[in-house]
Amino acid sequence: MNKFGVSATDLKNARIVFEKREPRDLFYRAATELVGLALRRSTSLTVAESLAVLLQTWNKARYQYKKFDATHFAEIEALLRQHRSELSRCRRKTIERLKPADASAIVNMFESFETVLGPVGSAKALHLLAPRFFPIWDRKIAGKYGLQLGKAGSNGDRYWRFMVISGQQCRHLRSRSRSRLRGNLLKSIDEYNYCKYTKGWLT
């Protein structure tokens, strides 16, 4: 196991702190449900509009200087069309099934997304589109994992390496846990990373 090992107890403690101190979890749950409905065409909202629920709350710093207007929605829709088949495949997978052969497609897709959404927004959008396959990061988390972010369009390989680490964390947790781990492990690990590295709420 690499130096970024995390235990089931770490995740449990992080969840307690996260629930107490981070009210925006509501937007994550709403966006996750809306994206699922939009992909099944069970809502009048588009997938891009559903993604916006999270992007405009969890990634609002980016939109202080960039309008979330019709042009931006069109850019997101173009990304979704361009990568539709790959995203559909990823949505059916878990990160524990990540393979070296996935690297090229993921690097290319991430770098395509980040030219529109930035490196942080891209990870969040991809996670919503395939929540058990794509992990979430931000600049502080990436830095703590030794993956300091560069300019938009250059971080695909860094994100791939973050996915490899996240996959190792998930497999390690599965192998060490005596009881069945509930929920989405990637979301639980993100809560831990967020509480520990982004906010400094955990020692």
Side-chain angles (χ1 to χ4, degrees), residues 33-69:
E33 185 167 334
L34 284 173
V35 168
L37 290 171
L39 287 170
R40 296 192 299 273
R41 298 183 180 181
S42 299
T43 175
S44 62
L45 294 175
T46 67
V47 177
E49 289 169 336
S50 301
L51 291 173
V53 172
L54 190 70
L55 292 174
Q56 291 189 80
T57 52
W58 275 28
N59 204 34
K60 64 181 180 180
R62 179 174 176 81
Y63 295 105
Q64 290 178 343
Y65 309 103
K66 180 178 177 63
K67 291 183 178 180
F68 214 117
D69 55 13

Side-chain angles (χ1 to χ4, degrees), residues 137-155:
W137 67 3
D138 60 25
R139 291 188 176 275
K140 287 185 178 180
I141 292 169
K144 290 293 185 179
Y145 278 75
L147 301 168
Q148 287 78 7
L149 298 182
K151 64 181 181 179
S154 69
N155 295 294

Side-chain angles (χ1 to χ4, degrees), residues 6 11 166 169-170 173 185-193:
V6 58
L11 300 187
S166 299
Q169 289 174 321
C170 288
L173 283 162
L185 271 183
L186 277 184
K187 178 60 167 57
S188 296
I189 291 171
D190 174 64
E191 291 175 3
Y192 170 79
N193 288 335

Side-chain angles (χ1 to χ4, degrees), residues 7-50:
S7 69
T9 300
D10 291 331
L11 300 187
K12 181 179 178 180
N13 292 339
R15 165 100 302 236
I16 293 169
V17 173
F18 188 83
E19 286 183 330
K20 181 184 295 185
R21 305 187 69 167
E22 182 46 77
R24 294 180 301 168
D25 189 48
L26 170 64
F27 297 106
Y28 172 83
R29 291 188 285 114
T32 301
E33 185 167 334
L34 284 173
V35 168
L37 290 171
L39 287 170
R40 296 192 299 273
R41 298 183 180 181
S42 299
T43 175
S44 62
L45 294 175
T46 67
V47 177
E49 289 169 336
S50 301

